[in-house]
Amino acid sequence: MTAPRPVASLFALVGALILVVVSGCGSPGSAPDPCAPAVPGGSVQTVDTSGTRLHVTTAGPVGAPVVVLLHGFPETAATWRAVATDLAADHRVVVPDLRGAGCSGLAPPGTDAYATRDLAADLAVLAGALRLPPATVVGHDLGAMAAVAWARARPAQVAHLVISGGGVPGYGLAERGPPHLRTFGDAPPGAIEAAERPRLQAFLAGFTGTQAFPLDDTVAAYAPPGRLDAAMGRYRALHRDAAANRADPRPLAMPVLVVSGGAPDLGADTLTPLRPDRRVVVVPGAGHYVQVERPTAFADAVRRVAR
C-alpha cells in the first residue's frame, strides 16, 4: 500500500469517484430495521464470537444442504434477501451481518480488527455454534475476500466456494482494483465517516449504480455512529490481508465457482493462483451487484453446486 495521502486529497478523490447519485431513492416513513430477518419469516439469532457478536438469519429446511451468504460494502445481509429467499425453498440458508455491519457488533474497542482473518475467525465460531455441516460459502465483493480467508483457514467447514464481484488481496487486487480500494485504505480511522456522514445517502448511492439495490436498508444500517468507519476498517486491512495471503500460498482445497455480471472480473484472475481449475459463470445483463440485479440467475448458479 502507498503512504497515506493528505486527508483533503483523499476526500477530493472520493468525491470524484461518486459520480452516480441515485436521486429519490429514499421512501417516506420510518427507516428500515437493520435487525429485520434477511429472509421474510426466517429466524434471527445472535452468536458471540471471539471479540464481537454476529447477527444472523437462518431459513429453509433443517437438514437440507447449507448455503452461507456473505455480503460486501456498502451491503448488509439485506442485499441477499431475494437470493436467500429463493434458495431457502430447498436449502438451509445462513445469512450473517459480518463484523461491524448491519446489526452485528463492532470490533473490540481500541482495535481495528477488520482483517479477513478476523472475519474468518468469526465465521468459524458461527459454523460451530450453529453446528453446520460443510457448507457452500458464497461471498460478494468484500465478502468474497472473507469467504476465501475462511475457506483457507478452515477448509473442513467449506465444501464449495462461490465468489462474485471480489478478488483476493495479494494476487493483483491492489494493482488492478478500483481506486477507492487505495483511497479508503489510506484514510486515517474516522476520516471518511466524518467527511461523508452529512451526505451519507448520496455517498452510499454512488456505489450502487442500480435501482435494484436496497439503498434504504443500506442507509439505515450505516447511519449509526461508527458503522461507516467499521466498513472502512475492511479497506484499511487490505494490506494486512495481502501480506498474509502472500505468506501462505497454499491452494484452496475445495471447488471454486466465480459468478460474474457481464464479463469475468478480478475474482477469476486473482483466484487462479489458488485454484487454477476455478469455474466461471457469466450472468448476462448484470453488473457488479449481480445478486440483486439477477437474483434468480444467481440463485440457480449457487443451487447447481450446493448439493
Side-chain angles (χ1 to χ4, degrees):
M1 301 296 287
T2 59
R5 303 180 183 91
V7 173
S9 297
L10 284 168
F11 298 152
L13 183 51
V14 171
L17 289 168
I18 309 306
L19 300 177
V20 181
V21 176
V22 181
S23 60
C25 291
S27 57
S30 59
D33 178 8
C35 298
V39 180
S43 300
V44 172
Q45 60 187 296
T46 59
V47 175
D48 290 329
T49 68
S50 52
T52 192
R53 179 199 70 248
L54 294 188
H55 176 267
V56 57
T57 297
T58 55
V62 175
V66 175
V67 176
V68 182
L69 302 169
L70 307 178
H71 66 83
F73 174 79
E75 308 165 36
T76 66
T79 319
W80 291 111
R81 188 176 291 125
V83 169
T85 301
D86 186 327
L87 289 171
D90 49 14
H91 288 74
R92 186 66 172 168
V93 178
V94 180
V95 196
D97 284 316
L98 294 175
R99 173 183 290 225
C103 207
S104 287
L106 302 175
T111 75
D112 200 23
Y114 293 106
T116 52
R117 67 180 181 183
D118 302 310
L119 276 62
D122 290 342
L123 294 165
V125 173
L126 174 67
L130 299 184
R131 298 183 179 179
L132 300 181
T136 295
V137 174
V138 184
H140 181 260
D141 190 76
L142 294 178
M145 302 176 197
V148 170
W150 182 17
R152 299 184 78 204
R154 296 294 186 96
Q157 293 180 332
V158 181
H160 208 120
L161 183 63
V162 180
I163 76 164
S164 176
V168 182
Y171 289 91
L173 180 68
E175 295 80 6
R176 300 170 57 195
H180 72 265
L181 296 183
R182 294 172 290 282
T183 303
F184 294 164
D186 289 344
I192 299 294
E193 177 164 334
E196 301 299 342
R197 175 165 295 284
R199 57 185 299 274
L200 181 64
Q201 179 163 315
F203 176 73
L204 296 174
F207 287 90
T208 65
T210 171
Q211 292 284 352
F213 192 92
L215 182 60
D216 288 350
D217 293 276
T218 293
V219 172
Y222 286 98
R227 289 290 169 175
L228 186 57
D229 188 58
M232 296 301 105
R234 279 292 302 113
Y235 293 94
R236 292 191 295 269
L238 287 178
H239 69 286
R240 285 177 272 154
D241 296 340
N245 287 337
R246 286 192 295 265
D248 181 13
R250 289 175 302 154
L252 285 158
M254 66 291 301
V256 177
L257 173 69
V258 180
V259 181
S260 297
D265 57 27
L266 281 175
D269 292 341
T270 61
L271 269 170
T272 299
L274 301 179
R275 188 78 196 202
D277 63 347
R278 84 288 179 279
R279 295 191 301 114
V280 178
V281 170
V282 178
V283 179
H288 177 69
Y289 294 103
V290 59
Q291 81 275 33
V292 297
E293 295 177 289
R294 297 291 185 271
T296 300
F298 195 102
D300 287 348
V302 174
R303 185 174 275 113
R304 284 193 287 271
V305 301
R307 302 179 183 278

